[in-house]
Amino acid sequence: GMTQYDIDLFINAKFVRKFLVVEEHVVMEITKHLMPGKNEVLFLANKNIAEVRRSSSPQHYFRVIIGEGNSGGRDVMITKKMVDYLRTALETKNFQDKFTLEVQ
């Protein structure tokens, strides 16, 4: 929770999920949101400084990774990173960041 960012994920202009700063490690399947060919991924990172800033360190970060991989039981192994999105506690503004994924 040190970054004070919540991050909305959109794929092909459709809302997929809000990642909250208070959540622990989250793993989710997004294949159903993708189509063959080019896909647009949009992250909206909203800084939520209520009354006090918890940190201004770049070592505190919120990271979302989109990739191809394998799952077995409770374990997920990403074999190919496609997007590695990072926001740090040092940052203070809101962000809109777009990426293009090529899916077969």
Side-chain angles (χ1 to χ4, degrees):
M2 300 301 281
T3 65
Q4 295 176 278
Y5 273 106
D6 290 328
I7 299 175
D8 293 333
L9 170 63
F10 292 81
I11 298 177
N12 298 320
K14 293 181 183 171
F15 178 74
V16 174
R17 186 183 198 286
K18 178 182 284 287
F19 294 95
L20 301 173
V21 70
V22 295
E23 292 179 293
E24 292 290 326
H25 187 89
V26 174
V27 176
M28 70 175 286
E29 177 71 43
I30 63 166
T31 305
K32 67 183 179 184
H33 301 284
L34 300 171
M35 58 186 179
K38 290 186 179 184
N39 292 266
E40 183 179 276
V41 175
L42 172 66
F43 293 101
L44 299 179
N46 296 301
K47 186 79 167 188
N48 296 314
I49 301 174
E51 295 175 17
V52 68
R53 198 161 169 199
R54 294 185 188 139
S55 172
S56 59
S57 171
Q59 294 178 348
H60 294 132
Y61 58 86
F62 192 150
R63 186 177 192 186
V64 179
I65 298 172
I66 296 177
E68 295 176 357
N70 302 305
S71 64
R74 295 183 59 189
D75 297 323
V76 174
M77 175 64 82
I78 294 177
T79 55
K80 178 182 175 186
K81 281 186 197 175
M82 300 172 86
V83 175
D84 193 345
Y85 186 71
L86 187 87
R87 298 273 57 104
T88 72
L90 177 64
E91 299 165 312
T92 58
K93 65 179 187 171
N94 295 333
F95 291 89
Q96 282 190 33
D97 298 293
K98 290 182 184 180
F99 297 86
T100 301
L101 297 181
E102 187 75 32
V103 178
Q104 298 185 36

